[in-house]
């Protein structure tokens, strides 16, 4: 039974939200799954990912194959790097403590970089009505003038 780690779509039309699940490859996309290991929301800026790193790592060690999108998510969260480091431990290249130290160093750098990107993105996209945002539209200022029966624009005496 081939097992895949893939996305299961939820949310309404044009508002996707995904569960990251482990499922039989023959099961339908939104059908039966073995285990839910996280969530992915592409609508937030940056996209938010909640992932149980240990469950994902366990399933990868058992031979589950991630889809292309899930592979990118696992790489972003460091699961594939951790798997790589643990393979080095298994081969005797270094011990567990060194592997965890390398991973913690990478994780700290990654978090700092993501925080920096998030702050830059916040500055680039201010609120709709905040300073630097698009100007507010004035109601009634861009309506064409109405003409009276004579073809001339209405005056104060004609309206009274």
């Amino acid at each position: 039974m081939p097992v895949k780690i893939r996305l299961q779509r939820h949310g309404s039309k044009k508002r996707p939200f995904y569960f990251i699940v482990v499922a039989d490859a023959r099961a339908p996309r939104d059908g039966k799954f073995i285990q839910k290991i996280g969530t992915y929301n592409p609508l937030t800026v940056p996209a938010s990912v909640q992932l149980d790193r240990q469950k994902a790592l366990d399933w990868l060690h058992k031979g589950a194959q991630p889809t292309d999108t899930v592979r990118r998510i696992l790489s972003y969260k460091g699961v594939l790097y951790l798997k790589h480091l643990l393979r080095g431990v298994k081969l005797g290249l270094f011990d567990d403590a060194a592997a965890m130290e390398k991973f913690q160093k990478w994780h700290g750098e990654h978090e700092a970089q993501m925080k920096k990107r998030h702050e830059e993105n916040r500055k680039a996209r201010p609120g709709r009505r905040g300073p630097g945002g698009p100007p507010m539209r004035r109601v009634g200022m861009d309506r064409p003038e109405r003409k009276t029966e004579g073809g001339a624009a209405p005056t104060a005496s004609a309206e009274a």
Side-chain angles (χ1 to χ4, degrees):
M1 172 171 87
V3 176
K4 291 210 171 263
I5 303 175
R6 64 183 180 198
L7 297 177
Q8 187 179 59
R9 186 183 164 121
H10 290 274
S12 60
K13 185 166 121 180
K14 299 194 181 195
R15 304 281 301 163
F17 182 83
Y18 298 95
F19 288 155
I20 302 170
V21 297
V22 178
D24 184 352
R26 298 168 292 185
R29 179 193 71 179
D30 298 338
K32 188 176 177 182
F33 61 91
I34 299 168
Q35 187 176 29
K36 177 182 160 189
I37 60 174
T39 61
Y40 168 59
N41 185 359
L43 296 178
T44 60
V45 178
S48 60
V49 177
Q50 304 272 318
L51 183 69
D52 186 337
R53 189 178 289 133
Q54 191 58 44
K55 285 181 185 177
L57 192 60
D58 289 343
W59 279 105
L60 287 173
H61 282 306
K62 291 176 186 175
Q65 293 296 314
T67 59
D68 292 338
T69 306
V70 173
R71 180 178 296 278
R72 288 185 53 109
I73 291 170
L74 295 177
S75 177
Y76 174 79
K77 290 305 238 180
V79 175
L80 296 181
Y81 182 57
L82 189 57
K83 182 183 178 204
H84 169 74
L85 290 174
L86 293 178
R87 172 102 168 113
V89 170
K90 188 175 171 184
L91 293 173
L93 300 175
F94 42 84
D95 59 348
D96 277 327
M100 283 304 166
E101 183 180 325
K102 286 183 178 186
F103 180 74
Q104 292 300 330
K105 181 182 175 200
W106 174 86
H107 185 66
E109 291 171 358
H110 181 72
E111 288 296 319
Q113 186 180 21
M114 290 301 110
K115 190 173 182 179
K116 182 180 172 188
R117 281 188 189 171
H118 183 68
E119 290 301 318
E120 287 174 359
N121 196 7
R122 269 183 129 172
K123 290 177 185 174
R125 293 183 65 175
R128 280 186 60 94
R129 295 186 180 183
M136 292 177 55
R137 182 174 167 253
R138 288 188 164 180
V139 179
M141 293 302 290
D142 49 8
R143 276 192 281 162
E145 291 184 20
R146 292 189 331 191
K147 299 208 177 203
T148 59
E149 293 178 15
T155 61
S157 61
E159 288 180 3

